[in-house]
Amino acid sequence: MTDQQKASEKVYRVKPEYADSAWINNEKYLEMYQQSVVNPDGFWREQANERIDWIKPFNKVRNVSFDDHNVDIRWFEDGTLNAAANCLDRHLETRADQTAIIWEGDNPEEDRTITYKELHEEVSRFGNALRSQGVRKGDVVCIYMPMIPEAAVAMLACARIGAIHSVVFGGFSPDALAGRIEDSNAKIVITADEGVRAGRSIALKANVDEALTHPSIRSLEKVIVVKRTGGDIAWHDARDVWYEDLIKLASPNCPVEEMAAEDPLFILYTSGSTGKPKGVLHTTGGYMVWASITHQYVFDYHDGDVYWCTADVGWITGHTYLLYGPLANGGITVMMESVPNYPNSARMAQIVDKHQVNILYTAPTAIRSLMAEGKAPVEGTSRSSLRLLGSVGEPINPEAWEWYYKTIGDERCPVVDTWWQTETGGIMITPLPGATDMKPGSATRPFFGVQPALVDNSGMILEGATDGNLVMVDSWPGQSRSVYGDHERFVQTYFSTFRGMYFTGDGARRDEDGYYWITGRVDDVLNVSGHRMGTAEIESAMVAHSKVAEAAVVGYPHDIKGQGIYVYVTLNAGEAASDELAKELRDWVRSEIGPVATPDLIQITPGLPKTRSGKIMRRILRKIAANEHDALGDISTLADPTVVDTLIDQRLNR
Ligand code: ATP
Ligand code: MG
C-alpha cells in the first residue's frame, strides 16, 4: 500500500450523538443489509408498502433477468401508483401549510417559499394545461429551464398526467438541445424567456427557437414559455404559448393518471463524460421507492429538516435528491437559481445561514473551487444549523474531504460521500451517518439491497481486499430499465462486458474493512511499466499540495513505459506557474505515492475541460496529451469549449 493510501485511511468514527439519534445505527445497518440481500422480496415488499401509496397494491415484488440475451428488469410490476400524488396529494392532510420548496434566487435579495398546498395547486393547474395542449400519457415533454420553481412544477405535472419528462440542463447549447429533442421525440418543450445565473441572462427561448430550426425535429408541437425576466424574445403565434396564460385558464382540479409501476417516469441523458450521452429510462414504482428510502437514510432526514441539494434539476441528482426523494418524504427542499460562488465565494455558507439549512449536498467540483479561496468561503458565516454534509459526482479527494469537513462543517457534521450514477437512479455506495465510520475519499459500504462486486477483466469475482471492475450482481428497485428507444444499446453498454452482471464502467478498490474506494472510470486506468493505477489516487496526491486547486491525470503513449503519466494542474488563487513549480509538483507526487507514479509531463493550465455538471472530461485530456487534437469526439457537453483551445495551444508549445 502506498503512503497516500495509508494517509487517506484515516478513520473518523461515528459520533455517539448520531448513533443514538439517527434512523440507522451500525447494528441496524448490518441487520437490515443482511435481510435486504438474503430476502429481497420480503425486504422490498415491506419498504414499498410503507413508503409509497399504491393505487392498486402489487403482488409480485421483482422479476429480473440480467442475461444478456434477455435483459429485463421489473419491480412491483402489477401495482399502480402516481409519482406526483406520492410527492404532493398524500401530504395535504398533515402538511398542507408546511413549506415544500424554499427558492433562493440568483440575486441574494430574492427568495420565495412554496407550501405543499400551493405546489399541489400549481401542479394540478399545469397538468390540466398540458392536457389542454394535447399531451397524453406516454408522450415525451422536454423541460429546458432555469432553476425556478416552475421547473419542479413542470416535472411533477408531467408525472401527474403520465407524460414522460426529459429534462435538459439549461446550460446546454441549441445543438445539444436539438439532439435530445430529436432522440426522445418530444412533443412539447417547456422553457423560460431567459434564465439568470451569476448575474448574466441566458437566452433560453432563443436557444429553443434555434434548436427547432433543425430539420430533423419533426415531433415538436408546442413551446410553453415561463416569464422569468420579461426580456425581449421572438414569438411564433402558432407554436408558442405563455405558461402564465395557460395556468390562469386551467382548473385546479386535475385527476391523477393511474400508472403501472413499470410505466416510464422520465428519460434523462447522462453527463457525457465518456462519450455520446445515453437517454437513460427510469420507471415509476421502483424509482420512487429508491428515491424515498435513500433520501431518508443516507441524509438521515427527519421531519422539519431543511435540506439543500445544490444540483441542477437537469441532472439525476436534481431529479432524485432535489425533487422526488425529499418530496416523497414530505421534506423541505431548497432550490437555488444561482451558483455557489456568486456574488462571492461565501454565498453557499450565507444561504446555509439564511435558510438555516441542516443538510447540504454538493459536488467535489464546487468544494475544490471554494477550497482554492482559502477561508473566504466561510467568512462572516456561522453554519451552526448544519448537521450533515454530502458529496456526489466524482471521487472526492481526501484533501477536499477534509476541507469540507473542517472548514464548512466545523468538524461537527459527518460527510456522506455518495457513489452512484444516472443509471442507478439513486445512491448505491455510501456511509450512513449514524452507522458508518468514515474514511476520507472512500464511499464506504453498499446501501440496502445493493450487491457490488469487483471482477477481473475476465469477469471472475475477486474476494477480499483487492482492485477491480465495479459491477452489481443483482438488481435494485431504482435501476434504469433501458436506454430510451434503444434497448440494444442498454444491453451492450451495461450487460455485455461481464455476463450476468451490471457493469458500472468504474473501477474500485476494496480495503480490509470491506470499504469501497472508487478509483475512476476503468477507461481511464493507467498502465505504467506494467503497474495499473487509477487516476483518482495521483490526482488526490496533487490536490494535497498547498498550491494546487485541481488536477486531472491521463495516460499518453510512452516509448519505454507503455504509458506515461500526464498531469494537468490548476493552481490556487494567487499562485503563478513556473518550471520550478512543475518540478516541485513532480517531486511531490513521487514522494507522496512512490517513483512509479512520478508524472512524466505536468501542464499547469488556467482551466480544465469539464462537463456542464462539473466533471473533468479525461477523454479529451487524453487526446490532447497524445497530440490527437482533431479526434476529440463529442464535445457538446463541455461547459466551456474555449478551455480546449488553450490546452491545445499550451500542449503544442511545449
Ligand atoms: P457518461 O455516462 O455519459 O459518460 P457520467 O458517467 O459522468 O457520463 P453520471 O451518471 O452523471 O454521468 O455520473 C456517474 C459517474 O460519476 C459514476 O460512474 C462515477 O464515475 C462518478 N461518480 C459519481 N459519484 C461518485 C463518487 N461519490 N465517487 C466517485 N465517483 C463518483
Ligand atoms: Mg456514466
Side-chain angles (χ1 to χ4, degrees):
M1 191 190 294
T2 64
D3 288 351
Q4 174 70 19
Q5 282 172 356
K6 275 183 219 139
S8 63
E9 294 225 338
K10 193 160 152 192
V11 179
Y12 288 89
R13 303 266 167 227
V14 172
K15 302 205 183 241
E17 62 271 26
Y18 248 102
D20 293 344
S21 67
W23 291 113
I24 310 286
N25 61 23
N26 197 42
E27 286 94 281
K28 191 116 193 255
Y29 167 78
L30 294 172
E31 178 198 316
M32 284 175 72
Y33 182 77
Q34 191 63 13
Q35 201 199 341
S36 73
V37 298
V38 172
N39 177 14
D41 271 49
F43 184 88
W44 290 115
R45 180 181 300 281
E46 189 181 323
Q47 289 294 336
N49 280 324
E50 256 174 33
R51 295 182 173 278
I52 295 300
D53 275 10
W54 299 86
I55 298 173
K56 178 168 145 290
F58 61 88
N59 287 307
K60 195 160 190 171
V61 175
R62 41 174 278 148
N63 182 4
V64 173
S65 162
F66 275 8
D67 175 351
D68 64 351
H69 296 297
N70 172 37
V71 174
D72 195 3
I73 302 158
R74 300 165 196 240
W75 286 83
F76 319 114
E77 61 180 311
D78 55 351
T80 65
L81 74 161
N82 182 280
N86 273 281
C87 289
L88 300 171
D89 305 49
R90 65 169 170 158
H91 300 314
L92 293 182
E93 207 176 304
T94 51
R95 38 181 114 235
D97 296 319
Q98 183 206 297
T99 299
I101 297 177
I102 298 175
W103 178 75
E104 168 81 8
D106 188 57
N107 174 346
E109 322 262 89
E110 247 185 289
D111 57 31
R112 229 180 112 183
T113 60
I114 299 157
T115 64
Y116 272 90
K117 190 163 114 211
E118 290 162 347
L119 187 59
H120 175 263
E121 181 176 332
E122 182 98 351
V123 166
S124 298
R125 284 183 190 275
F126 194 54
N128 282 329
L130 287 172
R131 280 181 175 146
S132 78
Q133 298 303 301
V135 180
R136 296 287 171 267
K137 177 175 173 176
D139 288 343
V140 176
V141 172
C142 173
I143 298 176
Y144 179 68
M145 285 180 70
M147 286 283 281
I148 54 177
E150 288 80 0
V153 170
M155 291 165 77
L156 291 166
C158 286
R160 190 169 195 91
I161 65 166
I164 306 168
H165 58 70
S166 165
V167 183
V168 176
F169 174 52
F172 273 126
S173 65
D175 281 351
L177 173 63
R180 287 160 178 73
I181 293 174
E182 190 196 341
D183 188 76
S184 64
N185 283 313
K187 196 166 173 182
I188 302 255
V189 177
I190 305 167
T191 188
D193 49 0
E194 295 176 311
V196 190
R197 234 166 121 84
R200 290 190 307 267
S201 56
I202 302 159
L204 294 174
K205 171 65 163 62
N207 286 351
V208 171
D209 291 341
E210 195 183 327
L212 295 184
T213 61
H214 281 241
S216 53
I217 296 176
R218 279 181 290 264
S219 55
L220 203 99
E221 294 173 9
K222 292 274 177 202
V223 177
I224 300 176
V225 188
V226 177
K227 192 172 266 167
R228 168 67 186 99
T229 64
D232 251 355
I233 53 172
W235 199 258
H236 303 263
D237 276 327
R239 191 195 70 193
D240 301 344
V241 283
W242 285 108
Y243 174 94
E244 289 75 11
D245 291 346
L246 289 174
I247 287 279
K248 251 184 283 162
L249 294 173
S251 148
N253 179 6
C254 176
V256 303
E257 195 76 40
E258 181 172 352
M259 305 298 283
E262 286 301 336
D263 281 338
L265 179 59
F266 63 85
I267 306 167
L268 184 64
Y269 292 85
T270 53
S271 307
S273 308
T274 56
K276 183 171 177 277
K278 298 166 279 279
V280 169
L281 177 74
H282 282 286
T283 57
T284 310
Y287 174 81
M288 288 304 291
V289 172
W290 197 248
S292 161
I293 186 173
T294 50
H295 174 262
Q296 181 188 348
Y297 291 152
V298 175
F299 301 108
D300 195 44
Y301 191 86
H302 292 263
D303 246 6
D305 284 344
V306 177
Y307 162 90
W308 180 22
C309 164
T310 67
D312 193 281
V313 289
W315 312 119
I316 189 69
T317 310
H319 283 55
T320 311
Y321 297 114
L322 192 147
L323 197 68
Y324 287 110
L327 295 187
N329 292 339
I332 303 169
T333 185
V334 178
M335 178 181 205
M336 182 184 62
E337 187 181 39
S338 194
V339 293
N341 56 359
Y342 175 80
N344 58 60
S345 64
R347 180 73 186 278
M348 196 153 94
Q350 286 161 358
I351 293 174
V352 167
D353 284 356
K354 178 178 176 188
H355 298 297
Q356 291 293 292
V357 171
N358 305 117
I359 302 162
L360 172 66
Y361 191 32
T362 192
T365 180
I367 296 166
R368 287 189 302 255
S369 76
L370 294 181
M371 188 168 75
E373 306 288 326
K375 283 261 172 253
V378 290
E379 230 134 61
T381 66
S382 114
R383 302 168 321 288
S384 57
S385 58
L386 281 177
R387 217 184 62 225
L388 178 72
L389 302 173
S391 169
V392 60
E394 284 184 291
I396 179 165
N397 326 95
E399 188 75 7
W401 193 104
E402 298 272 355
W403 185 87
Y404 195 29
Y405 182 70
K406 291 183 177 143
T407 308
I408 297 289
D410 282 330
E411 305 189 36
R412 193 181 60 248
C413 312
V415 174
V416 291
D417 173 5
T418 63
W419 175 87
W420 58 294
Q421 312 178 290
T422 308
E423 299 87 339
T424 68
I427 295 167
M428 299 287 281
I429 302 181
T430 179
L432 299 183
T436 317
D437 294 336
M438 302 171 296
K439 299 184 187 182
S442 172
T444 77
R445 304 188 291 190
F447 189 76
F448 304 131
V450 173
Q451 300 187 56
L454 298 179
V455 298
D456 67 12
N457 287 342
S458 72
M460 265 263 291
I461 293 191
L462 307 167
E463 304 291 340
T466 185
D467 262 313
N469 301 295
L470 180 64
V471 299
M472 298 295 151
V473 300
D474 205 347
S475 183
W476 61 99
Q479 181 170 25
S480 163
R481 307 302 197 246
S482 197
V483 168
Y484 188 72
D486 195 352
H487 194 63
E488 191 45 36
R489 186 168 180 211
F490 184 67
V491 176
Q492 281 306 319
T493 310
Y494 307 106
F495 296 92
S496 68
T497 318
F498 304 113
R499 298 203 65 179
M501 303 171 192
Y502 168 82
F503 179 37
T504 65
D506 288 345
R509 177 167 70 87
R510 189 172 46 220
D511 69 16
E512 291 70 21
D513 297 322
Y515 277 34
Y516 287 85
W517 302 71
I518 308 299
T519 48
R521 328 242 171 198
V522 295
D523 297 347
D524 293 336
V525 166
L526 310 177
N527 193 334
V528 181
S529 308
H531 299 277
R532 287 170 60 78
M533 268 178 288
T535 49
E537 191 186 2
I538 305 174
E539 287 164 7
S540 289
M542 265 302 174
V543 173
H545 189 283
S546 61
K547 292 179 183 162
V548 172
E550 280 199 288
V553 171
V554 298
Y556 73 106
H558 189 287
D559 289 346
I560 299 155
K561 302 178 176 178
Q563 260 186 332
I565 299 176
Y566 199 112
V567 188
Y568 297 85
V569 169
T570 66
L571 300 179
N572 282 335
E575 303 294 345
S578 67
D579 290 348
E580 292 73 56
L581 179 57
K583 177 160 188 320
E584 184 182 325
L585 296 177
R586 197 177 129 94
D587 294 345
W588 167 265
V589 175
R590 186 186 170 91
S591 70
E592 286 286 294
I593 308 185
V596 55
T598 311
D600 294 283
L601 286 168
I602 293 183
Q603 181 169 335
I604 299 173
T605 167
L608 293 170
K610 292 188 179 173
T611 63
R612 287 170 199 263
S613 54
K615 295 170 200 250
I616 298 167
M617 274 219 225
R618 288 182 195 73
R619 72 180 160 86
I620 289 179
L621 293 173
R622 211 161 34 227
K623 294 283 185 199
I624 295 174
N627 278 318
E628 293 170 12
H629 311 140
D630 35 12
L632 295 181
D634 183 2
I635 59 165
S636 68
T637 57
L638 269 181
D640 176 10
T642 63
V643 168
V644 172
D645 299 331
T646 312
L647 286 166
I648 293 176
D649 281 351
Q650 285 183 330
R651 174 74 177 121
L652 291 176
N653 291 326
R654 66 182 306 146

